[in-house]
């Protein structure tokens, strides 16, 4: 799947992933209204609105981008109906030939991590049959529990030729509280980065590993160091746009080959029509066109930053 | 909810939580067979088997214990039908007046952590209405992302009078890889423990905080130190039984008042009928009676260890 991700990136010439993190306040009223009319002001109604909103955005941008990253929390908050909308979104994006990165940040020990891995990337056995539960292409994984917690994911990745992105240095303001702690003369995130490279070395695609890393756009200098520590690791970079990361901050996350990183933007794309930049040109009715324009602009921003380095 | 947990512990005189972590290999054949006859060898069939298995165990032990801890990964691996069984289990246990600790180990940043918190502990707004998604009483939380990731859970806990247990030192063999790293002359898990005490200080129940900690039974010496660092923090202790922790290892996790810790056992209880200790006395048909006996034995083991200290 890392090979497919890279080939999708090369085809679209866009190292971009669109974060499908729907919040009710992003969804235009005409969609919510119709969904509530159909299913009531219920969890099912909310899930229907989310699904219609996602579908319109995906339809508007799928030819421009290699991948999407639905954030499962935004669906899970609506209970079972929300998770049904998550699954529908995953399936629909795969039909559109997009690589789907499930942003699930799971992580546990041994058989429990194996259960998450099976449920999101692999197949589970029921009697004499096998079934895929959620069937994303990649998922994000939390490393706090150490190798025991990550290895079961790597095993499933090898079996299914899928991938993971392990949290190394997250984009949020307080990520340094634990991740930046100095141990043996270097910050913890570097140690996690080394482990990511080690776990990944036994699960290689053609040029990059099945085991990627998450490093926030908001910490470009740390990204530079981590790029060197993990040369064969694809880096998923959140924090662009709404969180403050800019195109020029991103160049350090890429390798010389122009590959090695994929930059996420969520609300900057999916709620573009609410943004001052696009508000005058787009109405809530053509929110998906605003999303398309935001993708084009992001692509341009990153391309010119990479060209200027 | 921390007050209710403590009152349940005092009522049952059992600082015990039963981990409802069903695996297909634990479920007796007569249950699986019936479920498959009804729903086929499908995800729905597996979910039905899990639900019937859980229900029988809960019916057999609910009067002896204060709380249960369903591990969501074991349900999530069966996709949506699995999560429906999770929700049914949560609801049923609450009907039986058990405190339900959702072992979900979620953790993200800002609005995303808020979405998890709302989905599992709080209520989500849909139009003019509010709904509870999964509605557990407590959940487990991963601290790797720092205060940003944990605070949204604490906020919902305050609003709903519910609680969390933050991973501090996990029970697995490789938990030390990152958690034991020395920084400023002490291991990272102590620093996390201090933060837990700090986060908890602003969300206090009568005697203990809404913010608890997870510390593995397999590391009793570390438990002793953490007990002192977090005097008002309830400690959820996994790793008893199948993972190797014994009654005498547990005494350090408790305060002088006999409170402050709740010990989890999962397969040691729910799959007791497969254990050499019980195999001769119990058949797969009366697996739930074996679970009841295992609860009584665990209660005795902990009580005598506490009496001997």
């Amino acid at each position: 799947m890392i090979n497919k991700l890279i080939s999708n990136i090369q085809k679209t010439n866009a190292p971009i992933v669109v974060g499908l993190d729907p919040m009710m306040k992003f969804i235009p009223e005409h969609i919510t209204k119709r969904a509530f009319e159909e299913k009531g002001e219920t969890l099912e109604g909310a899930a229907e609105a989310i699904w219609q909103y996602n579908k319109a955005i995906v339809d508007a941008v799928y030819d421009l981008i290699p991948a999407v990253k639905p954030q499962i929390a935004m669906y899970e908050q609506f209970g079972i109906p929300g998770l049904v909308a998550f699954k529908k979104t995953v399936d629909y994006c795969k039909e559109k030939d997009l690589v789907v990165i499930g942003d699930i940040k799971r992580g546990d020990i041994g058989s429990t991590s194996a259960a998450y891995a099976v449920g999101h990337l692999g197949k589970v056995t029921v009697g004499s049959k096998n079934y895929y539960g959620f069937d994303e292409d990649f998922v994000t994984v939390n490393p706090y529990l150490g190798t025991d917690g990550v290895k079961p994911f790597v095993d499933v990745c090898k079996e299914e030729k899928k991938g993971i992105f392990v949290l190394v240095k997250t984009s949020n303001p307080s990520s340094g509280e634990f991740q930046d702690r100095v141990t043996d003369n270097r910050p913890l995130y570097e140690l996690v980065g080394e482990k990511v490279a080690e776990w990944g070395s036994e699960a290689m695609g053609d040029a990059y590993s099945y085991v990627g890393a998450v490093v926030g756009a908001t910490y470009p200098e740390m990204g530079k160091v981590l790029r060197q520590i993990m040369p064969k690791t694809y880096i998923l970079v959140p924090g662009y746009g709404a969180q403050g990361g800019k195109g020029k901050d991103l160049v350090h996350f890429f390798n010389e080959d122009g590959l090695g990183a994929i930059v996420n933007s969520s609300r900057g794309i999916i709620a573009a029509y609410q943004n001052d930049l696009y508000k005058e040109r787009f109405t809530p009715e053509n929110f998906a066109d605003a999303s398309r324009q935001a993708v084009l602009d992001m692509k341009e921003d990153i391309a010119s930053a990479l060209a200027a380095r």
Side-chain angles (χ1 to χ4, degrees), chain A:
Chain A
M1 201 47 76
I2 185 68
N3 297 339
K4 175 170 179 183
L5 177 63
I6 292 170
S7 120
N8 272 12
I9 291 171
Q10 288 170 325
K11 235 184 306 184
T12 53
N13 200 20
I16 286 176
V17 54
V18 173
L20 296 173
D21 309 356
M23 296 177 82
M24 291 308 274
K25 65 183 178 192
F26 298 159
I27 304 181
E29 213 192 318
H30 69 281
I31 291 191
T32 316
K33 201 169 159 246
R34 204 185 317 137
F36 288 173
E37 275 166 16
E38 205 180 305
K39 314 243 176 185
E41 279 187 355
T42 59
L43 294 175
E44 287 77 10
E48 174 65 16
I50 286 172
W51 158 243
Q52 294 298 341
Y53 173 66
N54 281 350
K55 185 173 176 302
I57 292 169
V58 171
D59 286 343
V61 304
Y62 78 94
D63 60 317
L64 300 177
I65 58 169
V68 292
K69 181 173 76 61
Q71 165 54 259
I72 200 169
M74 295 304 170
Y75 303 82
E76 204 165 314
Q77 66 179 326
F78 297 100
I80 302 289
L83 287 161
V84 171
F86 175 81
K87 175 67 176 137
K88 267 168 103 166
T89 301
V90 169
D91 291 346
Y92 189 70
C93 292
K94 287 171 69 176
E95 272 174 40
K96 293 282 182 188
D97 208 35
L98 292 164
V99 170
V100 177
I101 303 168
D103 197 353
I104 65 172
K105 296 191 178 66
R106 303 297 195 250
D108 207 294
I109 64 177
S111 56
T112 311
S113 261
Y116 280 129
V118 153
H120 286 277
L121 297 173
K123 41 195 177 308
V124 71
T125 302
V126 180
S128 59
K129 307 226 171 90
N130 290 320
Y131 293 95
Y132 286 91
F134 288 100
D135 202 17
E136 297 106 299
D137 298 316
F138 286 83
V139 293
T140 54
V141 172
N142 187 310
Y144 189 67
L145 293 94
T147 299
D148 294 344
V150 178
K151 264 313 256 323
F153 283 96
V154 178
D155 292 343
V156 172
C157 286
K158 285 200 275 191
E159 207 178 301
E160 302 281 340
K161 300 207 189 311
K162 292 191 169 182
I164 55 174
F165 291 96
V166 179
L167 305 186
V168 173
K169 171 68 189 172
T170 55
S171 60
N172 54 314
S174 70
S175 70
E177 228 166 67
F178 305 128
Q179 296 165 24
D180 293 3
R181 285 284 155 171
V182 175
T183 172
D184 287 341
N185 296 316
R186 68 215 159 130
L188 182 67
Y189 63 78
E190 289 188 16
L191 188 76
V192 178
E194 275 173 27
K195 280 282 170 188
V196 166
E198 187 189 314
W199 295 323
S201 65
E202 51 161 300
M204 283 297 297
D206 292 341
Y208 286 90
S209 170
Y210 295 177
V211 181
V214 175
V215 184
T218 41
Y219 300 103
E221 290 306 313
M222 300 177 185
K224 198 188 235 174
V225 176
L226 287 165
R227 180 67 287 169
Q228 282 158 2
I229 292 177
M230 317 178 293
K232 301 283 185 198
T233 303
Y234 236 82
I235 303 180
L236 171 63
V237 188
Y240 175 87
Q243 286 182 53
K246 294 185 183 24
K248 68 175 173 40
D249 296 332
L250 299 170
V251 296
H252 308 306
F253 294 89
F254 288 85
N255 275 322
E256 290 304 313
D257 58 5
L259 294 170
I262 184 160
V263 182
N264 180 73
S265 177
S266 299
R267 74 180 65 185
I269 306 285
I270 66 171
Y273 79 101
Q274 295 182 340
N275 188 317
D276 284 342
L277 275 174
Y278 302 102
K279 232 169 11 194
E280 290 184 8
R281 277 181 291 164
F282 299 94
T283 64
E285 279 67 34
N286 51 13
F287 68 101
D289 299 328
S291 295
R292 185 174 175 91
Q293 188 57 51
V295 167
L296 290 168
D297 292 348
M298 179 179 174
K299 194 174 151 178
E300 175 59 29
D301 182 35
I302 294 175
S304 47
L306 282 175
R309 72 168 169 177

